[in-house]
Amino acid sequence: MSRKIIVGAAQLGPIARSDSRRVVVGRLIELMREAKARGCDLVVYPELALTTFFPRWYFEAQDEVDTWFERELPGPDTQALFDEALRLSIGFYLGYAELTEQGGRVRHFNTSVLVGKRGELIGKYRKIHLPGHTENEAWRPFQHLEKRYFERGDLGFPAFQAKFNEHQGIFGMALCNDRRWPETYRVLGLQGVEMALIGYNTPLHYAQVPEHDHLQAFHNHLSLQAGAYQNGMWVVGVAKAGIEEGCDLLGQSCIVAPTGEIVSMCSTVEDELITESCNLDRCREIKENVFNFELHREPDTYRLIVETKGAIKPL
Ligand code: CDT
C-alpha cells in the first residue's frame, strides 16, 4: 500500500522590517504557485511568516507590539493567499502572530494554522516552548523577546486527520523551539501523527553560549532527524533564512523521512522551494518495528522511575 503526499517546504529569505504584509504575501503566493506547478498537495511556510522576526526588538508600547499581530486570519492583507490556495486547490501550513480576545482578555500567541485544499481550517497550534527572555537585555546584539510578547500556547499538541489528495493522513504542528524538545514529537507520535510540520526562525548567534554558534545547523538537523526516527513520522522543517535586519538566520530547511534520513534540503538562504513525494505508509517501517510503541514502550516503568527518583542512591 502506498499513501503518497507531495509536500513543498517553502523556505523564505529575509523579510525587512519595512516590508508590508502585502509584499510578503506576494512572495508566499509565488512559492505556492511554484509548489502547485511541481505537483504539491501541501505547502509549508516558516514560523512568523508574514513579517520580520519582530521579537528581536524591544518595544515599550503595547500598541506598537500589537502592530506585528494578526487580529483575523484571513484578514485584508492575507485574504489573497487563502484565495490563491483555494483557486489552486492546495493545502498550506502558515506561522503567524495571533492576537485574539477570549473572555474580554486580549491574548497573544505564536501560532500556526493548517488549511485544507478547499480553504477550510483543519487545525490551529499555539507555540508551547517559548524561548528567550522577558526583559530588555541591552548587552545582547539583538533581543529574543518571545517570552515577553507571547503567552504559552493553550491548545496542546493536537493531531489532525486530513486529506490533501485521495489519501488520508494524520498531521501535527510545532513551531521552532518546540523542535528541540523530544516531548513535542513524542506527544504527536503517541497520537499516531505521520507528518509533523515545523516552521522556524533560528539566529546563528546564541548570545548566552556563543561557543555553540557553529553548532546551530547541526542541532537543527539533529533534533528534526531524531524526532522523525524515534516516532516514525515524516518531519518538514522550514526556515526563515538569511541576514534579516542584521541578524543571520539559519536556512537548511529540510524534509526528513521516518527513518531519520534527510531526503531533501534547501541549498540557499533565500526564498526556495524543495519538494518531496512522502509515502505516509513508510511510517510503518518504524512504527511496526523498532519503535512499535505497543510492543516495546514501557510507560509504567518510566513512571515508576520518575516517581521513585530513579536509581540514584542518596549520599
Ligand atoms: N524562534 C525560535 O524559537 N528560535 C529559537 C532560538 C533560540 S535562541 C533564544 C530556536 O530554538 O531556534
Side-chain angles (χ1 to χ4, degrees), residues 2-5 162-169 171 280:
S2 172
R3 283 180 299 136
K4 286 188 178 161
I5 168 171
K163 260 175 111 165
F164 295 98
N165 55 24
E166 68 272 31
H167 305 301
Q168 184 159 301
F171 296 81
L280 299 178

Side-chain angles (χ1 to χ4, degrees), residues 178-245:
D178 288 323
R179 78 193 188 288
R180 302 185 191 273
W181 298 86
E183 291 86 349
T184 298
Y185 307 92
R186 184 47 52 97
V187 171
L188 293 174
L190 286 169
Q191 297 173 87
V193 163
E194 296 170 305
M195 180 175 282
L197 314 171
I198 311 179
Y200 60 90
N201 281 261
T202 294
L204 292 183
H205 178 56
Y206 185 66
Q208 297 102 307
V209 195
E211 54 273 35
H212 288 182
D213 287 1
H214 71 289
L215 297 173
Q216 287 298 343
F218 167 62
H219 286 159
N220 178 43
H221 285 165
L222 179 70
S223 306
L224 296 171
Q225 292 179 260
Y229 170 58
Q230 292 172 343
N231 296 280
M233 62 175 68
W234 290 88
V235 172
V236 184
V238 186
K240 169 118 73 53
I243 300 177
E244 187 179 85
E245 298 293 348

Side-chain angles (χ1 to χ4, degrees), residues 47 53 127 131-132 144 146 176-177 179-180 201-203 206:
E47 173 194 43
F53 189 76
K127 185 173 181 179
H144 198 110
E146 285 196 63
C176 199
N177 193 262
R179 78 193 188 288
R180 302 185 191 273
N201 281 261
T202 294
Y206 185 66

